[in-house]
Amino acid sequence: MLNKKVAFIGGGNMAEGIIRGMIQEGACAKENIAVYDVVERRLGYLKETYQVEIISDLKQSIGKSDILFIAVRPQDADQVLAQIKEEGGENALIISICAGVTLDKMLGVIGEDSRIARVMPNVLIEAKHGYSGVCTSPKVRKEDQADLETMFNALGQTMFISESQFDAFTAFSCAGPAYVMHCISGLIDAGVQCGFSRYDSRNMVLENIIGSGIMLNKTGEHPFERVDKMTSPAGVTIEGVAVLNESGFTGILMDAVKAAFDRTKELS
């Protein structure tokens, strides 16, 4: 557990997800978490729900915090960064979850010696699976990396990546559940078409999806190794696999990820 003061500048949905995960998983005591937001109703909700401290004076809180989360809109990041610099917050570990705000931009405002992490948080927080992508400035220490793992492992798992991989991580990992959801939805419909109730079909599909992931993780097999074991000559499964191959199913998935990757680069 972190024995440090953690302040969130911005209390939106993503900040709330991180706070909830850290408290539920024991990564940080709620007494050590403080939140600032411009919407008073939002602050009231966060205080009532998580019993965290509410920051009324951001200037004082910046200087007293060991870890500062920047969780504001990208267009508000410059103002927050300047305030952190002005109030001496550059001595804290600074974590930004602002989309599109690069390390160079943040270092240019706060100072080259600042310890900054740019993070794309896990989108499957409720499941405690999935990865948060983290890239760090050169001055980030091993202790800081351990703190980052403690916080973001509470949401799932943590992967340290180079900033050059950030757009790819967004398109592939963060958007990834959307691709999986489409596969799940199509399989559920297929089960209904076969005569099962939507309830039973959904349950079977989810068990197959979860079980397949667990099995591959446990055995270390390539997915097609398992498919080979499931397909007998002139059997049932190979007929279904043949349709997937003829339709270019793998290529469709790859094209979808590439399109998302291209769009991410455009937005960056």
Side-chain angles (χ1 to χ4, degrees), residues 129-145:
H129 283 277
Y131 278 94
S132 295
V134 181
C135 61
T136 60
S137 65
K139 296 295 184 179
V140 166
R141 306 182 297 236
K142 287 186 177 180
E143 177 190 343
D144 298 325
Q145 291 181 336

Side-chain angles (χ1 to χ4, degrees), residues 187-197 201 204:
L187 287 170
I188 292 172
D189 283 348
V192 174
Q193 188 177 42
C194 286
F196 294 104
S197 69
S201 179
M204 283 187 280

Side-chain angles (χ1 to χ4, degrees), residues 9 41 45 48 53 57 66 72 111 139 186 188 235 250 255:
I9 304 175
R41 184 172 61 182
Y45 162 78
E48 180 180 352
E53 178 186 347
D57 188 342
D66 301 303
V72 298
K139 296 295 184 179
I188 292 172
T250 300
D255 286 345

Side-chain angles (χ1 to χ4, degrees), residues 221-235:
E221 291 177 314
H222 186 281
F224 285 168
E225 289 184 75
R226 180 57 54 169
V227 172
D228 284 347
K229 294 175 182 178
M230 295 176 64
T231 50
S232 55

Side-chain angles (χ1 to χ4, degrees), residues 44-83:
Y45 162 78
L46 292 171
K47 182 176 182 179
E48 180 180 352
T49 305
Y50 303 103
Q51 292 79 55
V52 295
E53 178 186 347
I54 298 306
I55 299 172
S56 56
D57 188 342
L58 183 57
K59 292 181 179 181
Q60 289 186 4
S61 183
I62 286 175
K64 295 179 180 179
S65 300
D66 301 303
I67 298 172
L68 286 171
F69 273 86
I70 304 176
V72 298
R73 300 177 303 173
Q75 58 265 40
D76 296 329
D78 282 347
Q79 180 182 349
V80 172
L81 290 165
Q83 192 163 10

Side-chain angles (χ1 to χ4, degrees), residues 111 157 169 186:
Q157 298 186 65
F169 184 89

Side-chain angles (χ1 to χ4, degrees), residues 10 15 17 38-39 42 50 62 72 86 133 149 155 191 249:
V38 295
V39 180
R42 182 66 179 170
Y50 303 103
I62 286 175
V72 298
E86 182 181 343
E149 284 191 308
L155 314 182
F249 180 70

